[in-house]
Amino acid sequence: MTERRQSSRPVSNSPPGGARERVLLFKTESSALRDHWVDVLRSELGDLRIRVWPDSGDLDAVEYALVWDIPGEVLAGCRNLKIIFSLGAGVDHLLSDVSKLPADIPIVRMVDESLTAGMVEYVVYHCLRYHRRLDVYEMQQQRRIWEELPQTPTRECTVGVMGMGQLGLACANSLLRFGFKVSGWSRSKKQQQAITCYAGDEELTQFFAALDILVCLLPLTRQTRGILNARNFDRMKKGVFVINAARGGHLIEKDLLASIESGQVEAAALDVFNIEPLPQGHAFWRHPKITLTPHVASLTNPQTAVRRIADQIERHRRGESLEHVIDTQREY
Ligand code: OXD
């Protein structure tokens, strides 16, 4: 059971004493969770009126936006907007329309312990599933095959994590605890105990060469779009396992299919796709070497996330700097 924090703010959504109402505009893609989100927002942010897009009301009253994939012109029309919060860890859904976003309004990405924990579970699960060959045993069960496969220690398996931010680092550290050899690749060099860190294009070949498992947790930017491609798969060991829990735009889907066909890539676990929902006729659905999930590797938890947002709004009101503000030039 999740502990509910008692809000110190009054739980009221009407404007106090007739003053102009202050609005947080909310948009989620999840119809299943929308009402729950709104309940949590109302109970935790009692001095703000919560409006759910497309019922945005008077855009001049919108001071905060907590959104996933909202048309840029909606936010551009909010003349009193103070902060844009991304509902997820990624911000590419906001930056694709960057020219329409109000200039100088901070965009804050979601950093939250539940989101991190969910991603760690997803990544560790798939690394262990592949490492212990449970993917093969599942196929064997379907065909009633009783056959033992070689079992190697995790220390003989190198996992490379692309993207060493909040999520990547947490995954890398958890994998270390299971005894995997872990390396990390990011745009700028990181120093992490027990993790071999690589950075920049010039170290990609070295990074890829040692991998048994590749985990992509990169932000989607102009530099990283299409980075999971045939040329890069060829720079990895034959039989590498690929996990993509970042964005569909990182992967050239036809290259993955061809690399699985040739045996260069052994199998893949994919949570994200170029087109979501994945079209019914897509080859990935029935591919025996691809395990897929519908963009659920880690879902933002309303309880914990709204507390983070409430804290950030308080910081802002006190005139303190915000945490996890993204750099629109870097795109993350
Ligand atoms: C995220 C996501 O960015 O769920 O958090 O994709």
Side-chain angles (χ1 to χ4, degrees):
M1 168 144 11
T2 318
E3 187 205 345
R4 292 286 295 266
R5 190 186 67 158
Q6 288 302 310
S7 171
S8 52
R9 290 173 283 273
V11 180
S12 148
N13 295 298
S14 50
R20 180 170 68 78
E21 68 177 7
R22 312 169 76 185
V23 168
L24 179 141
L25 180 62
F26 177 65
K27 178 176 182 291
T28 174
E29 291 289 282
S30 163
S31 46
L33 282 182
R34 184 176 299 124
D35 290 349
H36 181 49
W37 267 104
V38 172
D39 287 347
V40 178
L41 285 163
R42 289 203 167 125
S43 88
E44 292 287 329
L45 301 172
D47 67 340
L48 293 174
R49 171 148 186 181
I50 309 303
R51 283 200 172 267
V52 183
W53 186 88
D55 176 21
S56 316
D58 172 14
L59 289 185
D60 280 352
V62 175
E63 295 193 0
Y64 306 101
L66 169 61
V67 288
W68 183 267
D69 204 15
I70 194 163
E73 53 273 16
V74 177
L75 298 182
C78 300
R79 292 183 304 172
N80 295 307
L81 191 59
K82 295 181 167 48
I83 312 175
I84 301 170
F85 293 102
S86 167
L87 199 51
V91 290
D92 48 298
H93 59 101
L94 287 164
L95 297 183
S96 53
D97 251 357
V98 76
S99 62
K100 298 189 193 132
L101 293 179
D104 302 333
I105 308 288
I107 301 176
V108 174
R109 73 196 149 79
M110 183 62 69
V111 174
D112 161 60
E113 66 271 20
S114 305
L115 195 63
T116 306
M119 190 55 86
V120 167
E121 287 167 8
Y122 174 91
V123 168
V124 170
Y125 166 80
H126 279 291
C127 288
L128 287 172
R129 177 174 179 268
Y130 175 72
H131 173 69
R132 291 298 310 269
R133 301 317 332 241
L134 294 171
D135 53 337
V136 180
Y137 286 123
E138 278 162 26
M139 285 193 257
Q140 287 191 182
Q141 179 176 354
Q142 279 164 24
R143 289 152 60 196
R144 300 178 193 208
I145 297 173
W146 183 277
E147 195 178 298
E148 196 177 292
L149 301 170
Q151 196 169 309
T152 52
T154 47
R155 66 172 180 279
E156 289 174 20
C157 179
T158 302
V159 184
V161 179
M162 296 188 91
M164 290 292 280
Q166 202 85 23
L167 299 178
L169 190 56
C171 292
N173 282 323
S174 296
L175 291 164
L176 279 179
R177 286 195 278 277
F178 277 93
F180 288 102
K181 250 194 213 157
V182 181
S183 56
W185 182 86
S186 45
R187 183 178 132 126
S188 52
K189 191 83 151 208
K190 305 274 190 291
Q191 296 294 338
Q192 289 298 331
Q193 216 173 356
I195 301 175
T196 315
C197 291
Y198 299 91
D201 289 344
E202 51 297 348
E203 291 186 0
L204 259 182
T205 304
Q206 223 184 326
F207 166 73
F208 283 143
L211 303 187
D212 297 292
I213 301 178
L214 172 77
V215 179
C216 179
L217 289 172
L218 287 166
L220 185 64
T221 67
R222 275 163 299 210
Q223 278 80 36
T224 64
R225 184 174 285 282
I227 198 161
L228 302 180
N229 58 41
R231 179 163 172 263
N232 285 337
F233 294 143
D234 287 346
R235 292 153 105 181
M236 300 173 202
K237 280 193 208 162
K238 194 170 173 70
V240 66
F241 179 63
V242 174
I243 300 174
N244 187 16
R247 285 290 179 265
H250 289 119
L251 176 68
I252 307 295
E253 295 182 345
K254 66 171 178 27
D255 286 9
L256 177 68
L257 289 169
S259 298
I260 292 179
E261 185 66 32
S262 73
Q264 179 58 28
V265 171
E266 164 71 23
L270 306 175
D271 185 58
V272 285
F273 305 90
N274 271 295
I275 301 176
E276 294 180 5
L278 189 66
Q280 284 297 311
H282 200 290
F284 286 172
W285 278 115
R286 296 175 63 82
H287 199 295
K289 297 285 183 84
I290 292 176
T291 304
L292 64 83
T293 40
H295 200 146
V296 291
S298 186
L299 297 179
T300 308
N301 174 294
Q303 255 84 22
T304 53
V306 173
R307 277 175 220 160
R308 288 306 199 124
I309 289 160
D311 291 344
Q312 293 261 49
I313 291 176
E314 286 302 328
R315 289 175 77 91
H316 187 256
R317 287 176 177 163
R318 289 197 300 263
E320 294 169 17
S321 55
L322 296 170
E323 296 172 312
H324 315 305
V325 175
I326 63 124
D327 174 339
T328 50
Q329 291 309 308
R330 270 190 340 185
E331 302 177 77
Y332 63 93

